[in-house]
């Protein structure tokens, strides 16, 4: 299943290269941005009322990015799920176990590539922090931004987090970003 998601993300990335081109030739000045998004996180192997099923939760995203070139950025992206939940996973012996998560916070160092005017593609690594256990994760995602007046942007994002040897989550969100030093 992970291979399918990775293939789909690769297809989206490569198809977008031919769809956008920048026409403005301006002198670029590096800048910072802070984003806040309302998000929705979905987990495939959640346990609810004794059954394994898709579970979903509201979440909040707070991102910081340093944009150092017109096409490249680095950032610290933070997501929090405001619920406690249980997921089914397998241990190192292959036995199914239940993993409890209490309001987990994912903090991820990401690199972003912006091939055109609107889309940014991101990949990174970090940890999902919860009182029970901290989980290493890898993130792939994309963000679509539309410029608004006064250095603001409207954002829509989609991210897929792989919590190695545990569970995966998929999230989408909408929000705004404010640029500083632009």
């Amino acid at each position: 299943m992970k291979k399918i998601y990775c293939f789909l993300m690769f297809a989206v990335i490569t198809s977008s290269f031919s769809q956008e081109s920048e026409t403005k030739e301006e002198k670029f000045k590096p800048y910072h941005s802070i984003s806040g998004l309302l998000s929705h996180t979905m987990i495939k192997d959640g346990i609810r009322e004794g059954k394994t099923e898709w579970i979903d939760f509201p979440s909040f995203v707070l991102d910081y990015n340093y944009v150092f070139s017109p096409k490249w950025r680095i950032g610290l992206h933070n997501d929090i799920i405001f619920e406690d939940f249980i997921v089914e996973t397998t241990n190192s012996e292959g036995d199914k176990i239940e993993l409890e998560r209490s309001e987990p916070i994912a903090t991820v160092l990401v690199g972003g590539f912006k091939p055109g005017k609107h889309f940014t593609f991101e990949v990174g690594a970090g940890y999902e922090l919860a009182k029970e256990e901290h989980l290493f994760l890898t993130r792939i995602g994309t963000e679509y931004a539309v410029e608004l007046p006064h250095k603001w942007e409207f954002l829509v994002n989609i991210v897929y987090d792989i919590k190695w040897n545990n569970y995966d989550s998929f999230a989408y969100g909408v929000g705004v970003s404010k640029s500083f030093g632009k």
Side-chain angles (χ1 to χ4, degrees), residues 144-172:
Y144 184 83
V146 176
E147 286 188 34
L148 300 172
H150 308 292
K151 301 179 185 177
W152 286 89
E153 289 182 317
F154 172 76
L155 305 173
V156 177
N157 82 343
I158 298 172
V159 296
Y160 186 74
D161 289 348
I162 301 165
K163 283 106 177 165
W164 293 99
N165 300 320
N166 286 288
Y167 69 98
D168 299 346
S169 63
F170 172 77
Y172 59 91

Side-chain angles (χ1 to χ4, degrees), residues 4 7 57 67 69 108 131 163:
I4 293 171
F7 174 76
F57 302 102
V67 182
S69 86
V108 185
K131 72 177 185 180
K163 283 106 177 165

Side-chain angles (χ1 to χ4, degrees), residues 3-182:
K3 291 178 183 178
I4 293 171
Y5 289 119
C6 290
F7 174 76
L8 289 174
M9 187 59 69
F10 177 76
V12 168
I13 290 170
T14 56
S15 68
S16 70
F17 284 108
S18 62
Q19 294 177 1
E20 296 185 21
S21 65
E22 284 204 42
T23 57
K24 291 184 184 178
E25 291 285 333
E26 295 180 10
K27 182 174 166 112
F28 180 81
K29 180 182 174 189
Y31 62 93
H32 306 270
S33 71
I34 296 177
S35 307
L37 294 94
L38 294 176
S39 185
H40 199 77
T41 302
M42 297 170 285
I43 301 164
K44 179 180 179 264
D45 296 319
I47 297 176
R48 193 176 274 157
E49 298 176 6
K51 298 180 195 171
T52 303
E53 60 185 22
W54 279 92
I55 55 176
D56 52 340
F57 302 102
S59 50
F60 181 74
V61 177
L62 182 63
D63 296 344
Y64 163 78
N65 288 299
Y66 176 66
V67 182
F68 56 89
S69 86
K71 295 194 179 291
W72 293 97
R73 65 185 62 197
I74 189 166
L76 186 63
H77 292 194
N78 304 282
D79 307 12
I80 182 169
I81 297 175
F82 296 108
E83 301 276 340
D84 298 343
F85 58 92
I86 300 172
V87 294
E88 184 177 84
T89 187
T90 55
N91 62 15
S92 57
E93 291 83 37
D95 300 323
K96 292 192 182 279
I97 59 169
E98 292 182 359
L99 178 65
E100 292 184 42
R101 307 303 290 156
S102 298
E103 295 184 355
I105 299 172
T107 185
V108 185
L109 182 63
V110 300
F113 175 67
K114 188 173 185 176
K117 187 174 179 178
H118 298 288
F119 278 101
T120 301
F121 300 98
E122 301 168 338
V123 64
Y127 281 92
E128 180 183 83
L129 310 170
K131 72 177 185 180
E132 296 84 11
E133 180 181 0
H134 304 323
L135 305 176
F136 179 74
L137 70 89
T138 302
R139 172 173 289 179
I140 57 174
T142 187
E143 184 174 271
Y144 184 83
V146 176
E147 286 188 34
L148 300 172
H150 308 292
K151 301 179 185 177
W152 286 89
E153 289 182 317
F154 172 76
L155 305 173
V156 177
N157 82 343
I158 298 172
V159 296
Y160 186 74
D161 289 348
I162 301 165
K163 283 106 177 165
W164 293 99
N165 300 320
N166 286 288
Y167 69 98
D168 299 346
S169 63
F170 172 77
Y172 59 91
V174 296
V176 294
S177 175
K178 174 72 171 162
S179 299
F180 301 94
K182 207 171 185 182

